[in-house]
Amino acid sequence: RLRREVEAHVFTSGALTLSVTISMGVASWTPKMEAPEDLVAAADAALYESKRSGRNRVLLNRKACET
């Protein structure tokens, strides 16, 4: 929902108008993760995959979320 809201919003500053999109990566904590950095790394991997696959997407790191 956040991605769609950002995409639909027109950002303006004076005469300048900008269209903005965002990509996000999502992961869930699993018992295999040993530190908070593991969760951040999993979400970061999903973020870069969303950018590689066309941008303006939200991707879940399914591999990291498997138990």
Side-chain angles (χ1 to χ4, degrees), residues 6-24:
V6 170
E7 181 181 27
H9 186 78
V10 177
F11 294 87
T12 58
S13 177
L16 181 64
T17 300
L18 295 172
S19 295
V20 177
T21 62
I22 58 174
S23 296
M24 293 184 271

PDB file of all heavy atoms in Angstrom, residues 6-24:
ATOM      1  N   VAL A   6       3.012   6.242  -2.661  1.00  0.00           N
ATOM      2  CA  VAL A   6       4.137   7.063  -3.127  1.00  0.00           C
ATOM      3  C   VAL A   6       4.066   7.238  -4.635  1.00  0.00           C
ATOM      4  O   VAL A   6       4.245   8.341  -5.156  1.00  0.00           O
ATOM      5  CB  VAL A   6       5.487   6.445  -2.707  1.00  0.00           C
ATOM      6  CG1 VAL A   6       6.657   7.148  -3.380  1.00  0.00           C
ATOM      7  CG2 VAL A   6       5.652   6.493  -1.189  1.00  0.00           C
ATOM      8  N   GLU A   7       3.797   6.161  -5.354  1.00  0.00           N
ATOM      9  CA  GLU A   7       3.711   6.219  -6.812  1.00  0.00           C
ATOM     10  C   GLU A   7       2.600   7.177  -7.271  1.00  0.00           C
ATOM     11  O   GLU A   7       2.766   7.908  -8.254  1.00  0.00           O
ATOM     12  CB  GLU A   7       3.451   4.823  -7.372  1.00  0.00           C
ATOM     13  CG  GLU A   7       3.368   4.772  -8.873  1.00  0.00           C
ATOM     14  CD  GLU A   7       3.087   3.370  -9.385  1.00  0.00           C
ATOM     15  OE1 GLU A   7       2.473   2.556  -8.657  1.00  0.00           O
ATOM     16  OE2 GLU A   7       3.474   3.088 -10.526  1.00  0.00           O
ATOM     17  N   ALA A   8       1.485   7.214  -6.575  1.00  0.00           N
ATOM     18  CA  ALA A   8       0.345   8.039  -6.972  1.00  0.00           C
ATOM     19  C   ALA A   8       0.516   9.511  -6.598  1.00  0.00           C
ATOM     20  O   ALA A   8      -0.132  10.384  -7.187  1.00  0.00           O
ATOM     21  CB  ALA A   8      -0.935   7.498  -6.330  1.00  0.00           C
ATOM     22  N   HIS A   9       1.386   9.789  -5.640  1.00  0.00           N
ATOM     23  CA  HIS A   9       1.547  11.168  -5.166  1.00  0.00           C
ATOM     24  C   HIS A   9       2.414  11.973  -6.130  1.00  0.00           C
ATOM     25  O   HIS A   9       3.422  11.479  -6.626  1.00  0.00           O
ATOM     26  CB  HIS A   9       2.189  11.167  -3.772  1.00  0.00           C
ATOM     27  CG  HIS A   9       2.253  12.521  -3.168  1.00  0.00           C
ATOM     28  ND1 HIS A   9       1.164  13.124  -2.598  1.00  0.00           N
ATOM     29  CD2 HIS A   9       3.271  13.396  -3.052  1.00  0.00           C
ATOM     30  CE1 HIS A   9       1.513  14.311  -2.142  1.00  0.00           C
ATOM     31  NE2 HIS A   9       2.788  14.508  -2.409  1.00  0.00           N
ATOM     32  N   VAL A  10       2.029  13.204  -6.385  1.00  0.00           N
ATOM     33  CA  VAL A  10       2.831  14.114  -7.196  1.00  0.00           C
ATOM     34  C   VAL A  10       3.550  15.056  -6.233  1.00  0.00           C
ATOM     35  O   VAL A  10       2.916  15.790  -5.478  1.00  0.00           O
ATOM     36  CB  VAL A  10       1.956  14.908  -8.192  1.00  0.00           C
ATOM     37  CG1 VAL A  10       2.799  15.894  -8.960  1.00  0.00           C
ATOM     38  CG2 VAL A  10       1.237  13.948  -9.128  1.00  0.00           C
ATOM     39  N   PHE A  11       4.869  15.004  -6.251  1.00  0.00           N
ATOM     40  CA  PHE A  11       5.678  15.857  -5.385  1.00  0.00           C
ATOM     41  C   PHE A  11       6.000  17.142  -6.143  1.00  0.00           C
ATOM     42  O   PHE A  11       6.415  17.096  -7.300  1.00  0.00           O
ATOM     43  CB  PHE A  11       6.976  15.134  -4.997  1.00  0.00           C
ATOM     44  CG  PHE A  11       6.749  13.931  -4.133  1.00  0.00           C
ATOM     45  CD1 PHE A  11       6.488  12.691  -4.702  1.00  0.00           C
ATOM     46  CD2 PHE A  11       6.788  14.042  -2.753  1.00  0.00           C
ATOM     47  CE1 PHE A  11       6.269  11.570  -3.902  1.00  0.00           C
ATOM     48  CE2 PHE A  11       6.564  12.927  -1.949  1.00  0.00           C
ATOM     49  CZ  PHE A  11       6.305  11.700  -2.526  1.00  0.00           C
ATOM     50  N   THR A  12       5.790  18.281  -5.482  1.00  0.00           N
ATOM     51  CA  THR A  12       6.062  19.559  -6.123  1.00  0.00           C
ATOM     52  C   THR A  12       6.901  20.440  -5.211  1.00  0.00           C
ATOM     53  O   THR A  12       6.801  20.367  -3.978  1.00  0.00           O
ATOM     54  CB  THR A  12       4.774  20.318  -6.483  1.00  0.00           C
ATOM     55  OG1 THR A  12       4.019  20.526  -5.293  1.00  0.00           O
ATOM     56  CG2 THR A  12       3.937  19.557  -7.484  1.00  0.00           C
ATOM     57  N   SER A  13       7.719  21.258  -5.855  1.00  0.00           N
ATOM     58  CA  SER A  13       8.509  22.271  -5.164  1.00  0.00           C
ATOM     59  C   SER A  13       8.618  23.449  -6.120  1.00  0.00           C
ATOM     60  O   SER A  13       9.338  23.382  -7.115  1.00  0.00           O
ATOM     61  CB  SER A  13       9.894  21.725  -4.813  1.00  0.00           C
ATOM     62  OG  SER A  13      10.668  22.746  -4.202  1.00  0.00           O
ATOM     63  N   GLY A  14       7.845  24.469  -5.855  1.00  0.00           N
ATOM     64  CA  GLY A  14       7.798  25.591  -6.782  1.00  0.00           C
ATOM     65  C   GLY A  14       7.236  25.130  -8.111  1.00  0.00           C
ATOM     66  O   GLY A  14       6.168  24.536  -8.174  1.00  0.00           O
ATOM     67  N   ALA A  15       7.983  25.350  -9.185  1.00  0.00           N
ATOM     68  CA  ALA A  15       7.540  24.936 -10.520  1.00  0.00           C
ATOM     69  C   ALA A  15       7.955  23.497 -10.839  1.00  0.00           C
ATOM     70  O   ALA A  15       7.556  22.943 -11.852  1.00  0.00           O
ATOM     71  CB  ALA A  15       8.118  25.876 -11.572  1.00  0.00           C
ATOM     72  N   LEU A  16       8.734  22.888  -9.971  1.00  0.00           N
ATOM     73  CA  LEU A  16       9.239  21.533 -10.202  1.00  0.00           C
ATOM     74  C   LEU A  16       8.212  20.497  -9.763  1.00  0.00           C
ATOM     75  O   LEU A  16       7.668  20.557  -8.659  1.00  0.00           O
ATOM     76  CB  LEU A  16      10.540  21.315  -9.429  1.00  0.00           C
ATOM     77  CG  LEU A  16      11.220  19.967  -9.567  1.00  0.00           C
ATOM     78  CD1 LEU A  16      11.679  19.743 -11.007  1.00  0.00           C
ATOM     79  CD2 LEU A  16      12.394  19.882  -8.620  1.00  0.00           C
ATOM     80  N   THR A  17       7.922  19.535 -10.638  1.00  0.00           N
ATOM     81  CA  THR A  17       7.014  18.428 -10.330  1.00  0.00           C
ATOM     82  C   THR A  17       7.782  17.125 -10.492  1.00  0.00           C
ATOM     83  O   THR A  17       8.439  16.911 -11.508  1.00  0.00           O
ATOM     84  CB  THR A  17       5.809  18.432 -11.289  1.00  0.00           C
ATOM     85  OG1 THR A  17       5.116  19.665 -11.135  1.00  0.00           O
ATOM     86  CG2 THR A  17       4.867  17.290 -10.984  1.00  0.00           C
ATOM     87  N   LEU A  18       7.707  16.259  -9.490  1.00  0.00           N
ATOM     88  CA  LEU A  18       8.422  14.994  -9.513  1.00  0.00           C
ATOM     89  C   LEU A  18       7.477  13.818  -9.335  1.00  0.00           C
ATOM     90  O   LEU A  18       6.590  13.854  -8.488  1.00  0.00           O
ATOM     91  CB  LEU A  18       9.460  14.934  -8.388  1.00  0.00           C
ATOM     92  CG  LEU A  18      10.620  15.903  -8.443  1.00  0.00           C
ATOM     93  CD1 LEU A  18      11.430  15.820  -7.164  1.00  0.00           C
ATOM     94  CD2 LEU A  18      11.493  15.616  -9.642  1.00  0.00           C
ATOM     95  N   SER A  19       7.713  12.784 -10.116  1.00  0.00           N
ATOM     96  CA  SER A  19       7.048  11.505  -9.901  1.00  0.00           C
ATOM     97  C   SER A  19       8.085  10.588  -9.267  1.00  0.00           C
ATOM     98  O   SER A  19       9.215  10.494  -9.754  1.00  0.00           O
ATOM     99  CB  SER A  19       6.574  10.914 -11.227  1.00  0.00           C
ATOM    100  OG  SER A  19       5.593  11.744 -11.791  1.00  0.00           O
ATOM    101  N   VAL A  20       7.718   9.933  -8.194  1.00  0.00           N
ATOM    102  CA  VAL A  20       8.655   9.124  -7.432  1.00  0.00           C
ATOM    103  C   VAL A  20       8.110   7.708  -7.284  1.00  0.00           C
ATOM    104  O   VAL A  20       6.902   7.521  -7.109  1.00  0.00           O
ATOM    105  CB  VAL A  20       8.877   9.740  -6.023  1.00  0.00           C
ATOM    106  CG1 VAL A  20       9.788   8.880  -5.172  1.00  0.00           C
ATOM    107  CG2 VAL A  20       9.426  11.162  -6.145  1.00  0.00           C
ATOM    108  N   THR A  21       8.997   6.734  -7.367  1.00  0.00           N
ATOM    109  CA  THR A  21       8.638   5.351  -7.059  1.00  0.00           C
ATOM    110  C   THR A  21       9.628   4.830  -6.035  1.00  0.00           C
ATOM    111  O   THR A  21      10.718   5.382  -5.864  1.00  0.00           O
ATOM    112  CB  THR A  21       8.658   4.450  -8.314  1.00  0.00           C
ATOM    113  OG1 THR A  21       9.982   4.411  -8.842  1.00  0.00           O
ATOM    114  CG2 THR A  21       7.680   4.943  -9.363  1.00  0.00           C
ATOM    115  N   ILE A  22       9.248   3.761  -5.355  1.00  0.00           N
ATOM    116  CA  ILE A  22      10.138   3.153  -4.369  1.00  0.00           C
ATOM    117  C   ILE A  22      10.161   1.643  -4.551  1.00  0.00           C
ATOM    118  O   ILE A  22       9.207   1.042  -5.042  1.00  0.00           O
ATOM    119  CB  ILE A  22       9.730   3.497  -2.916  1.00  0.00           C
ATOM    120  CG1 ILE A  22       8.302   3.046  -2.622  1.00  0.00           C
ATOM    121  CG2 ILE A  22       9.907   4.975  -2.644  1.00  0.00           C
ATOM    122  CD1 ILE A  22       7.886   3.231  -1.171  1.00  0.00           C
ATOM    123  N   SER A  23      11.279   1.069  -4.171  1.00  0.00           N
ATOM    124  CA  SER A  23      11.419  -0.380  -4.114  1.00  0.00           C
ATOM    125  C   SER A  23      11.710  -0.745  -2.667  1.00  0.00           C
ATOM    126  O   SER A  23      12.396  -0.007  -1.967  1.00  0.00           O
ATOM    127  CB  SER A  23      12.577  -0.842  -5.005  1.00  0.00           C
ATOM    128  OG  SER A  23      12.314  -0.556  -6.349  1.00  0.00           O
ATOM    129  N   MET A  24      11.170  -1.879  -2.226  1.00  0.00           N
ATOM    130  CA  MET A  24      11.374  -2.308  -0.847  1.00  0.00           C
ATOM    131  C   MET A  24      11.689  -3.794  -0.800  1.00  0.00           C
ATOM    132  O   MET A  24      11.222  -4.562  -1.643  1.00  0.00           O
ATOM    133  CB  MET A  24      10.128  -2.031  -0.006  1.00  0.00           C
ATOM    134  CG  MET A  24       9.854  -0.566   0.188  1.00  0.00           C
ATOM    135  SD  MET A  24       8.447  -0.269   1.283  1.00  0.00           S
ATOM    136  CE  MET A  24       7.126  -0.257   0.080  1.00  0.00           C
TER     137      MET A  24
END
